[in-house]
Amino acid sequence: MTGMMKTETLAEGQQMGHLANPREIVDYNFDVAARSLGLSESQKGLLKEPFREIKVKLPVRMDDGTVRIFQGYRVQHNGARGPFKGGIRYSPDVNEHEVRALAEAMTWKTALANIPFGGAKGGVNCDPLRLSQGELERLTRKFIANIRHVLGPMRDIPAPDMGTNPQVMAWIFDEYSSRQGYSPACVTGKPVELGGSVGRNRATGRGVVTVLAEHLREFGLALDGLRVVVQGFGNVGSSAAQLLADQGAEIIAVGDIFGAIRGQDGRGLPVQELAAHTKREGSVVGFPKGVPIDAEDLLLLDCDVLIPAASECVLHAGNADRVRAKIIAEAANLPTTPEADEILERNRVSILPDILTNSGGVIVSYFEWVQNLQQKSWDELTVRKELRQRLVETYRDVSHLASHHGKTLRQMAYSMAIERVLRAEEQRGA
Ligand code: NAD
């Protein structure tokens, strides 16, 4: 496996050890691309500044009768290419800086996938694992009631992200529709019974596997026999792991927020059984056919492919040099700090960048939106075929242009996306 070509270094003043939050990751990736595209200061301002940011107070009646105040955020970064689009995250780490960074990453992701959406993100600062279903429902309804004036099928369309799922999307659909009239296209990632698309739930994981397979194909390699480590065993991580195992890869270790495990006697984990255990117990920890390992060591295991599928900034200056994977497939958003990027590049680790690798979810969200607007539903084969075609074409374009221009996949992906958004902004006029 070849590593990436070295083309850019950290800018002067951005010393090793200083960059480690989501905002700095998107800023750095943008700046590298903007420099190579020769963007003017006013073009950079046009592209970087978010269109609208909302912070709302969410008083929620808890099951014990008390009222707790949560903070909700929605950032609409850029809508030049279509309605704003982006997930809603429920996590104790949610804050306005994180949401702003993730919203911007969505702008580049939708542009790279060439789907007619802009970029947005939302979140509520809460721990969903400590809320009852009733509390989660009341929180979700309050959030949507408070931001509904900026949402809508032609305005801004939320979707699932960390800590949210099809049930949360169902409440969003119901809350919005009860005020605005039946509007299935106001949110994606809904249950199929309410107008969700078949194939949406596993689309991000499926996309990760598709991009990885296409990358391997360039080197005459296949998924069969690949040794894979997955961090995060939620929607994305567990889907990717199951699809990989179905194609003959060995999932040698996985982890979640509670801990990490590896297979017994150096063998792969039985992924289906592990998924059933996780569904029952809420964690991979305690899986009887796994051996507990230190969660810190998970990312450093000797493997062919490492899939970060949890939170941001997990690969950083403090651990990147000890990563032994040959390929990193970024299923999570913004998992690699710029410092780690440089170290991994130097160590010839191939990085499949997040805005390409995890775009399967938003692509199938786009299919769901199209189906809702047309009041039609596609079968699963059509969804999979269309998803695969879009991802393979995008991967090939990025890869071809990256080697032609001597850039990394990440640099090329950002450049292509930024150019598309700039063109749309300039064509629309000031
Ligand atoms: P999820 O809530 O379903 O699962 C998250 C998993 O990560 C859980 O297993 C959780 O325990 C684990 N986790 C969380 N914080 C962790 C930590 N600090 N260390 C180790 N494990 C941790 O979320 P998801 O939808 O699978 O999303 C995972 C990642 O993929 C996020 O970065 C998200 O933004 C990104 N993503 C999701 C989608 C989607 O369609 N759901 C699309 C694109 C990108």
Side-chain angles (χ1 to χ4, degrees):
M1 200 65 46
T2 64
M4 297 180 300
M5 293 171 99
K6 184 159 181 64
T7 53
E8 304 275 351
T9 54
L10 285 170
E12 226 175 283
Q14 292 180 315
Q15 301 294 313
M16 303 297 259
H18 290 185
L19 300 171
N21 70 52
R23 172 79 267 150
E24 287 160 337
I25 298 178
V26 268
D27 283 353
Y28 180 78
N29 292 335
F30 178 88
D31 286 346
V32 170
R35 221 177 305 137
S36 82
L37 291 168
L39 299 191
S40 67
E41 285 307 310
S42 87
Q43 286 173 322
K44 284 198 256 180
L46 195 62
L47 293 169
K48 280 297 277 185
E49 278 300 307
F51 171 75
R52 173 158 47 198
E53 301 184 332
I54 295 185
K55 179 177 174 185
V56 283
K57 180 177 83 172
L58 307 174
V60 176
R61 175 85 51 197
M62 307 304 281
D63 290 347
D64 65 5
T66 58
V67 172
R68 234 177 99 186
I69 310 292
F70 296 89
Q71 296 290 345
Y73 305 90
R74 186 74 180 168
V75 174
Q76 298 173 334
H77 176 256
N78 188 294
R81 302 182 68 262
F84 301 100
K85 185 88 189 83
I88 290 188
R89 174 176 290 198
Y90 287 175
S91 153
D93 297 330
V94 163
N95 61 63
E96 54 207 282
H97 306 291
E98 180 188 82
V99 176
R100 204 176 288 145
L102 291 165
E104 184 183 326
M106 281 306 294
T107 297
W108 313 133
K109 195 186 299 184
T110 55
L112 182 68
N114 213 359
I115 51 180
F117 288 135
K121 203 76 176 191
V124 177
N125 186 285
C126 67
D127 186 348
L129 298 178
R130 291 174 185 272
L131 297 176
S132 70
Q133 282 296 101
E135 289 166 342
L136 272 177
E137 177 173 353
R138 292 192 290 278
L139 174 71
T140 303
R141 289 187 184 279
K142 186 60 70 79
F143 185 37
I144 297 309
N146 288 1
I147 63 168
R148 71 175 192 283
H149 55 291
V150 299
L151 301 180
M154 295 300 156
R155 229 175 248 284
D156 183 353
I157 307 139
D161 191 72
M162 211 149 76
T164 59
N165 56 28
Q167 177 58 72
V168 175
M169 301 306 115
W171 293 324
I172 294 176
F173 157 72
D174 186 68
E175 187 62 30
Y176 185 87
S177 294
S178 68
R179 291 160 189 269
Q180 311 289 138
Y182 177 67
S183 316
C186 75
V187 60
T188 59
K190 301 177 293 292
V192 173
E193 296 78 3
L194 294 179
S197 178
V198 287
R200 171 61 184 89
N201 210 27
R202 297 179 94 183
T204 308
R206 186 175 295 284
V208 172
V209 177
T210 306
V211 171
L212 174 60
E214 202 48 38
H215 179 71
L216 290 169
R217 198 192 308 273
E218 275 188 359
F219 301 95
L221 300 171
L223 296 170
D224 190 27
L226 219 58
R227 293 165 63 254
V228 182
V229 170
V230 183
Q231 184 199 39
F233 205 67
N235 174 295
V236 179
S238 71
S239 304
Q242 289 189 44
L243 292 163
L244 283 166
D246 290 348
Q247 299 196 53
E250 263 194 297
I251 309 301
I252 60 169
V254 302
D256 62 22
I257 196 155
F258 301 106
I261 56 167
R262 63 166 172 77
Q264 288 168 336
D265 306 324
R267 285 194 312 256
L269 289 154
V271 180
Q272 266 196 346
E273 283 177 55
L274 177 60
H277 167 91
T278 307
K279 200 168 172 197
R280 224 174 25 246
E281 306 295 331
S283 172
V284 300
V285 174
F287 181 56
K289 295 189 180 171
V291 179
I293 55 169
D294 192 320
E296 292 288 304
D297 294 341
L298 181 75
L299 301 172
L300 312 177
L301 291 176
D302 187 12
C303 61
D304 297 310
V305 182
L306 171 62
I307 304 185
S311 53
E312 300 86 37
C313 306
V314 295
L315 296 167
H316 47 74
N319 62 10
D321 224 4
R322 289 175 291 141
V323 166
R324 284 185 286 166
K326 299 181 186 73
I327 301 173
I328 294 172
E330 294 184 338
N333 286 307
L334 312 173
T336 311
T337 69
E339 296 149 307
D341 224 8
E342 281 222 333
I343 294 167
L344 293 164
E345 192 184 335
R346 203 167 50 232
N347 292 347
R348 302 181 66 77
V349 178
S350 294
I351 301 187
L352 307 179
D354 51 1
I355 62 167
L356 167 64
T357 310
N358 71 26
S359 64
V362 77
I363 292 173
V364 177
S365 274
Y366 162 59
F367 299 160
E368 182 173 330
W369 181 74
V370 168
Q371 293 170 71
N372 292 156
L373 292 178
Q374 298 181 344
Q375 287 295 293
K376 281 186 176 170
S377 49
W378 302 1
D379 59 38
E380 185 148 5
L381 223 60
T382 308
V383 170
R384 283 192 202 176
K385 198 174 125 239
E386 295 273 335
L387 172 63
R388 194 185 132 67
Q389 191 177 327
R390 278 177 181 268
L391 279 173
V392 167
E393 272 173 21
T394 307
Y395 174 84
R396 287 183 185 164
D397 285 352
V398 173
S399 173
H400 171 74
L401 288 169
S403 40
H404 183 73
H405 292 290
K407 290 180 189 289
T408 67
L409 293 176
R410 191 190 311 283
Q411 288 160 1
M412 198 64 239
Y414 264 80
S415 293
M416 286 166 66
I418 289 168
E419 259 191 313
R420 277 184 192 151
V421 180
L422 179 64
R423 230 175 296 137
E425 279 282 10
E426 292 186 335
Q427 282 164 351
R428 279 181 164 227

